[in-house]
Amino acid sequence: MSSNPSNNEDDTPKDPLSEMLERLMGGNMQGIDPQEIAKAAGLPNDPQAMAMMMQQVQAMFAARSEGPVNWSLARDQARRAAATGGDPSVSSTAKREVDDALRLAEMWLDPVTDFPSTALLGKAWSRAEWVEATMDTWRRLTEPVATSIALALSNAITEQMPEEMKSMMGGAASMLQNMGGAMFGMQLGQAVGALSRDVVSSTDIGIPLAEHSMALLPANVEAFGEGLDISDYDVRLFLAVREAAHVRLFTQVPWLTGHLLGAIESYARGIHIDMSKIEEVARDIDPSNPESLQGALSEGVFMPERTASQEAALARLETTLALVEGWVDELSAAATAKLESSVALREMVRRRRATGGPAENAFASLVGLELRPRRLRDAAALWEQLRQERGIAGRDAIWQHPDLLPTPEDLDDPAGFSKRRQLAESEDADVDAALEKLLAGGFEPTADEKSQDEDAPPAADDGDDTSSGTSDDGR
């Protein structure tokens, strides 16, 4: 196979590698022999194999990136993954069914929560529409760790590249620096696309991925109900109640979205990439198999063991996620009590949220973070306890401020929450009262302070020395 230099007047078909490099380098192939590059890189000499590789590799190089991670490529890959197995447009019938279910869900929630309705219009999304609506949030959640991995990958790849290939790549060297970001973008997109085939709503994983939206994915709702001896209507309505409860909570508690996303971002920023594993993988890269590095990414091989601070951050995050899911779980059960299938559907959702699916596990491996409410049942029991003790309004008032949220200790002992809170509030009230009294000058000297004042020597005055009458001789 001979090389074909770039020449707009030459109609001779180019081999795949020449064509790819010409596109990447803007037609400037002068002094570069594709076959030498292929030989140095260990690429296959088979035109058909090269043609297959070009589709994957060219996507990594060709798309421009605004930073270390190619988010445009991640979005495109997510849409392709979402379409795997088909992603038909939502029919008018499905849109009407989702709209009716969400409207009824809002009505059923009104008597069981103190939070008012959001007045949002219900939406029915395809998987691709879910990807588009949520991708900006995925970027926000994963950017810290994604950037670290992308930079580490590009540095390791550059260091491991043969010297002869570095010199021959010339003007394309800058593109190689984006290779790590492109690879991570592709893998992240694959994970998000896979999630789009699992989630049934905009808040299915417990965080508002598409803020100010209330939506169901009809195709996934239908898949959720497959194999169950429950009507499609009941399944759709139960999941609609959960979606409406999530959205109502995040809408009526303005600080909650920032609190959750901020905790996730802080956790991600604290992740340090294991450079030794990066270098090890870079040494073992098979250039003829672009999927080898993607496989390493999906297995989370670059994530080191969590530090103590990371474990603490994860515990705080899991507690908040559990409180959100527990509140939604408790409200959904109350709102759907009239559904005969409610108990079975509630248990199914609980198990699903506690264990996660393959797509959620793949995402956790990629970014080192599990968005899973492990203590959902404990949190639901706590919210039920608070409703019995304080009523609906008193229970929901706990969401007024993050400092009021229950702690892991409260999840351990729901029945003791109110007693512990009353004790803490009493101590705070005593401190506030003492401070206010001190500032107002209302404190009387104690007995000890009076005694010290009486025993203190009088001010120096020679004429009054004999009038004290407090010495031992004078008693």
Side-chain angles (χ1 to χ4, degrees):
M1 180 175 63
S2 60
S3 63
N4 293 305
S6 174
N7 187 338
N8 292 335
E9 298 179 357
D10 186 0
D11 295 330
T12 303
K14 302 178 180 65
D15 64 80
L17 180 60
S18 297
E19 184 179 358
M20 181 182 72
L21 290 175
E22 182 176 349
R23 290 180 183 177
L24 294 179
M25 302 180 70
N28 182 19
M29 290 286 292
Q30 186 174 2
I32 298 180
D33 184 350
Q35 298 311 306
E36 291 299 321
I37 293 177
K39 181 179 178 181
L43 297 176
N45 197 30
D46 178 15
Q48 291 184 349
M50 277 302 307
M52 294 179 62
M53 283 185 58
M54 187 178 71
Q55 295 179 356
Q56 293 180 301
V57 177
Q58 188 176 20
M60 292 190 290
F61 281 106
R64 292 188 176 272
S65 175
E66 298 178 356
V69 177
N70 195 320
W71 297 109
S72 176
L73 186 59
R75 184 186 298 270
D76 292 343
Q77 183 67 21
R79 288 183 64 97
R80 282 194 292 270
T84 301
D87 182 27
S89 299
V90 180
S91 67
S92 58
T93 300
K95 290 180 180 179
R96 184 174 61 254
E97 291 174 344
V98 167
D99 181 65
D100 291 344
L102 288 170
R103 286 177 183 271
L104 184 57
E106 287 278 40
M107 294 176 58
W108 282 11
L109 284 171
D110 286 337
V112 298
T113 179
D114 197 46
F115 295 141
S117 173
T118 62
L120 291 173
L121 295 177
K123 301 176 182 178
W125 284 342
S126 66
R127 292 159 183 165
E129 288 173 324
W130 180 87
V131 168
E132 290 294 336
T134 64
M135 201 64 200
D136 287 343
T137 303
W138 288 120
R139 175 173 180 171
R140 176 180 174 183
L141 296 181
T142 62
E143 192 156 30
V145 63
T147 299
S148 297
I149 289 182
L151 292 175
L153 275 173
S154 60
N155 291 337
I157 290 170
T158 301
E159 290 176 3
Q160 296 299 324
M161 185 181 297
E163 290 298 328
E164 60 269 25
M165 187 173 181
K166 291 181 184 178
S167 61
M168 284 186 294
M169 289 305 291
S174 60
M175 294 183 182
L176 285 177
Q177 295 176 6
N178 293 329
M179 190 173 183
M183 287 182 172
F184 187 92
M186 289 181 69
Q187 196 65 29
L188 176 63
Q190 183 67 34
V192 172
L195 273 173
S196 75
R197 302 196 299 270
D198 285 348
V199 295
V200 297
S201 67
S202 74
T203 59
D204 195 18
I205 66 170
I207 58 177
L209 293 173
E211 202 168 0
H212 306 305
S213 294
M214 182 169 60
L216 295 181
L217 282 71
N220 294 353
V221 170
E222 181 180 353
F224 179 92
E226 288 179 357
L228 301 178
D229 190 19
I230 300 174
S231 70
D232 293 342
Y233 176 85
D234 282 12
V235 172
R236 183 168 52 251
L237 183 55
F238 186 86
L239 296 178
V241 169
R242 284 183 52 81
E243 169 72 354
H246 272 114
V247 173
R248 190 176 292 208
L249 177 63
F250 287 117
T251 301
Q252 304 301 342
V253 183
W255 58 264
L256 183 56
T257 297
H259 181 77
L260 260 178
L261 297 185
I264 296 172
E265 290 172 323
S266 297
Y267 175 88
R269 279 195 300 268
I271 293 176
H272 299 284
I273 305 305
D274 191 336
M275 285 302 299
S276 63
K277 290 185 178 180
I278 289 274
E279 294 170 356
E280 179 181 346
V281 170
R283 285 194 299 269
D284 296 335
I285 289 177
D286 179 1
S288 65
N289 181 15
E291 296 180 356
S292 61
L293 185 53
Q294 292 188 31
L297 278 169
S298 66
E299 295 172 5
V301 300
F302 306 137
M303 297 297 174
E305 294 295 326
R306 294 191 184 106
T307 64
S309 60
Q310 288 283 16
E311 292 290 356
L314 183 59
R316 292 192 297 270
L317 175 60
E318 287 185 341
T319 298
T320 305
L321 285 172
L323 291 172
V324 168
E325 288 297 283
W327 188 86
V328 169
D329 178 82
E330 201 270 329
L331 255 68
S332 298
T336 60
K338 61 186 68 177
L339 280 180
E340 293 183 1
S341 57
S342 175
V343 175
L345 286 168
R346 183 188 190 189
E347 182 61 25
M348 184 176 179
V349 170
R350 279 181 163 188
R351 293 180 180 180
R352 178 174 177 267
R353 290 295 294 121
T355 59
E360 189 175 343
N361 293 335
F363 177 80
S365 297
L366 184 64
V367 299
L369 179 64
E370 294 180 346
L371 301 176
R372 196 172 300 162
R374 299 183 184 280
R375 307 198 63 182
L376 185 157
R377 295 176 189 271
D378 295 333
L382 173 61
W383 291 120
E384 170 63 15
Q385 179 76 24
L386 291 174
R387 185 193 64 77
Q388 294 177 4
E389 293 178 355
R390 305 184 178 197
I392 290 175
R395 176 202 63 197
D396 292 349
I398 297 293
W399 293 105
Q400 289 179 355
H401 193 276
D403 290 347
L404 298 177
L405 287 183
T407 65
E409 181 184 8
D410 297 321
L411 296 182
D412 293 335
D413 178 25
F417 170 82
S418 293
K419 182 177 181 179
R420 286 188 297 273
R421 185 56 56 91
Q422 289 172 1
L423 180 61
E425 290 172 352
S426 176
E427 292 175 350
D428 290 342
D430 290 344
V431 172
D432 291 342
L435 179 59
E436 183 178 353
K437 189 174 182 180
L438 176 63
L439 294 175
F443 274 105
E444 294 291 335
T446 64
D448 290 341
E449 291 172 338
K450 289 181 179 180
S451 175
Q452 291 175 2
D453 290 341
E454 293 173 353
D455 292 342
D461 189 340
D462 294 343
D464 293 335
D465 285 347
T466 58
S467 62
S468 173
T470 60
S471 66
D472 292 341
D473 294 340
R475 286 193 180 99

